[in-house]
Amino acid sequence: MKKRGLAHQKENYAKSPKDIPVWALPQAEIYPATDSSAQGLSHLEAIERIKKYGKNEFTQEKRQPAWLIFLLQFRSPLVFILLIAAVIAYFLGDHLDAIVIISIVVLNAGLGFYQEYKAERSLRELRKFITHHNNVLRDGHVLTLDSREIVPGDVVYLQRGDIVPADIRLFQVENLSTDESTLTGESFPVEKTSSAINPKYSLPQDLKNMALAGSTISSGTGEGIVITTGNKTFLGKTAHYLAEGESHGEFHKGILKFSNFLLKIVLITTIIVFAVNAFLDKEIITSFLFAIALAVGITPEVLPIIITVALSNGAQNMAKEKVVIKKLASIEDIGNMDILCSDKTGTLTEGKMSLSSYVNIQNKKDPKILLYGLLCNSIKKEKHHYSFENPIDRAIVESPDIKKIAPEAKQYHLLQENEFDFTRRMMSVLVLKEKTKMLIVKGAAETLLAECTFIDKKTKITSLLRQELEERVKKYEQTGLKPIAIAEKISTKDITTKDDEQGLTLLGFLLFHDPPKKIVREALHTLQKQDVQVKIITGDSPEITHHVCREVNLPIVGERILLGSELEKMNPTMFNAMCNNYNVFARVSPEQKLKIVKALQERGHIVGFLGDGINDAPALHQADVGITVNTASSVAKGTADIILLHKSLNVLSQGIREGRKTFGNIMKYIFNTISANFGNMFTIAISSFFLRFIPLLPSQILLANFLTDFPMLTLSKDRVDEELLHKPRRWNIKFISKFMYLFGIISSFFDLLFIVPLILVFKVTPELFRTAWFTLSILTELVGTFTIRTRKAFYRSKPSLWFVGMSIFTVALTVLIITSRWGNKIFSFVRIPPAILLYCFGVLTLYVIALEIAKRKFYKKVGE
């Protein structure tokens, strides 16, 4: 399949008038070939090109058409068999029953279609909140644009962490490499060039001067011009070959296991019921229809719709709380989450670095330190507003004192840059002033100190002096300041590498401050009440981390902060134990973040990870629920399951609450369905041995199933008791099975308590028997739901108006059907005498009392 996708590439890319592919053109000819210029496109040109080429997005997004959603309502094999049986019954002369059965099945499918289609449409709308931005040159100015607004001919700036928005011909690169593993299968980063390539090459793997849409920038920076967008890119042409199946969480797996378990019971009982009725000389075709209708009636066929609707409602409610869901299953996971791993910056703190001071070795304010910080900076004046910037560099550029040293900065010429990475934790630039070449290095204080040999050109750093400098750094950090060291080195080279960052002279420190958020204390208290343990995992120093934790009142377990260097030395058993027992980690590498998440998952925890950096992507991907913010790096947003429009623990706690509401409402349907359905199944299996007639006609079973679906579908919007939101709850099939057996038997007992006197005392006709039991079945399921939906006494838990309204509607419709002439004719109902109605309400009252007593004892004994 890949070869086929690659073969289409020749038609993808723009060509010059001489029919030379754009990758074979020298830089001077790229602009004419794309009808662009060094100033970028004008605003009007961009508008015209959007009209011509369309927005930069894939139109073949996986989307189920309305007709397919409707047809999928019939995907149950039991429903399919029932329809076939109804058709057979029609041709055998049983016209009315066959038409009624088919009509009810179609109506039920229509109800499911409406709910599912609405949920699908709502989810598509929510995804519009998620945006990716890139830096584009328009009218000679660099703008940060939504990637969907990019058009062919746009000049785009790329840097580490960006997702490439389109297929781009590069004309300027600096140590640029891209990760194209999802596109070409190449597992290592691909180094890029700006030089023209032989026109005979056409496969994307060979196009070293092209940045392909969907790839990510692994290192360096680059500039290029957009050649193709959307479906015409390599990714667009081959997207359907690259699609990955969505993985399901623990809840979905549990649903699947439970559905299979229930289906086995249903099939076994259905076969028994059919065999018994056939053996007792009841009509074969009627017995078969009855057995299949029974199977349909007691199978939780609405469960997929309930889950979809509940999750969709949850996603919409979470969007109101500034939480956007990329994958619906993540709503269950965030509600079930019991550990949240989070970075310190932007979560406990404001996430907005400000430069407090700049001091030399004598601890005195020194403009030279600020000057060197400006020179050794990833944010260049002509390429500012990157989609994901280094906050340290941004704080330097935005310092009010920059104006004082700006004239002097113009005397330096940038020759080369060695960009920052999370292994070295520093960056360097080679600059030229007059005839002197200088290597300026800026980086994390403790890391850069290790590479420094002098504190001035003559004073060598002794072990005692190094210790004093390290103590000074700790004092800065203990007061909440983040020190970034500045060092220099005279160079005679024209080109430097990262290996030259040694033997340096330490000049001083830039001191930054990121204040704690005012609302964090309250948010942490809320998470504690929600039984979610917060673990802070940061690359920052233990001193700063300790200071911030103290400020926001976050208890540090054992007053110990585990360092990445300590974790590195531990064996797997010790590592897992320490990750589980402690809650604050500092100086942690991206690989260690990933290992910590894995270790917690191995202990059986549902782990959420909140991060926004490039280095957070592996942990975000590994976590049960990856959480990031809309201002995060493109890689982080691409990996995460949930995106916060505002990075706040308060916002997240609201998301957790909504996730638990969704989970609780899904479980209400499951508990109600399994108790009622198991009870009905058991009752019919027993009654088949002593009844001389079919207890309910197939059309009556399907009608009861259809009517009770109305209130059941509104459970997705029901209120949830406050106590159930205080701690995470996980799928527990043993607990559900115990619930099913106990409450199913209670349901069956009261069914038999009703139908045995109907036969022995009231001596009713088959028509009256069916009408009376049909009525009781509707009522017991409804009042049972009011009781089972809460662990409190049912009158102490307020249900939603939707559920109450639909329950009243269902009762009214039931009364109308069984008392109307057309109901009597179509469904063979008859009038129920007052004595039987009175007895029905008596049994119903005893049933509610028994449910309340059993519920109280069950939860007290079984717990969960």
Side-chain angles (χ1 to χ4, degrees), residues 554-571:
L554 175 67
I556 300 173
V557 175
E559 280 299 310
R560 181 179 178 184
I561 296 177
L562 283 176
L563 300 179
S565 55
E566 295 178 84
L567 296 173
E568 195 68 37
K569 299 172 185 176
M570 295 178 185
N571 61 46

Side-chain angles (χ1 to χ4, degrees), residues 27 30-31 38 135 137 154-159 168-174 176 193-194 209 211 221-226 382-383 386:
Q27 183 175 342
I30 298 174
Y31 290 122
N135 297 286
L137 188 67
D154 266 327
V155 175
V156 177
Y157 297 112
L158 301 169
Q159 77 159 13
I168 296 172
R169 166 63 163 93
L170 299 165
F171 54 71
Q172 185 171 323
V173 299
E174 190 170 331
L176 185 69
T193 179
S194 59
N209 60 5
T221 59
E223 300 174 28
I225 193 159
V226 174
E382 68 276 11
K383 301 174 195 175
Y386 275 114

Side-chain angles (χ1 to χ4, degrees), residues 577-675:
M578 298 299 271
C579 291
N580 190 68
N581 295 338
Y582 290 91
N583 70 327
V584 183
F585 306 82
R587 295 282 184 242
V588 175
S589 68
E591 293 78 14
Q592 288 172 330
K593 290 181 181 182
L594 173 64
K595 288 180 180 178
I596 290 170
V597 171
K598 283 183 177 179
L600 295 171
Q601 288 173 325
E602 287 174 8
R603 291 279 179 139
H605 295 289
I606 302 296
V607 183
F609 188 91
L610 173 58
D612 59 5
I614 303 161
N615 58 325
D616 293 322
L620 282 168
H621 180 72
Q622 176 63 36
D624 296 290
V625 52
I627 309 161
T628 192
V629 289
N630 206 29
T631 55
S633 67
S634 296
V635 174
K637 283 200 286 187
T639 307
D641 305 305
I642 292 176
I643 294 180
L644 308 181
L645 300 184
H646 178 58
K647 190 173 183 180
S648 164
L649 290 179
N650 266 341
V651 170
L652 188 58
S653 66
Q654 287 297 324
I656 291 170
R657 183 181 176 86
E658 197 59 48
R660 291 179 183 177
K661 279 185 181 180
T662 303
F663 182 89
N665 283 333
I666 291 172
M667 294 309 294
K668 285 177 189 178
Y669 174 78
I670 291 174
F671 286 144
N672 179 72
T673 300
I674 58 174
S675 57

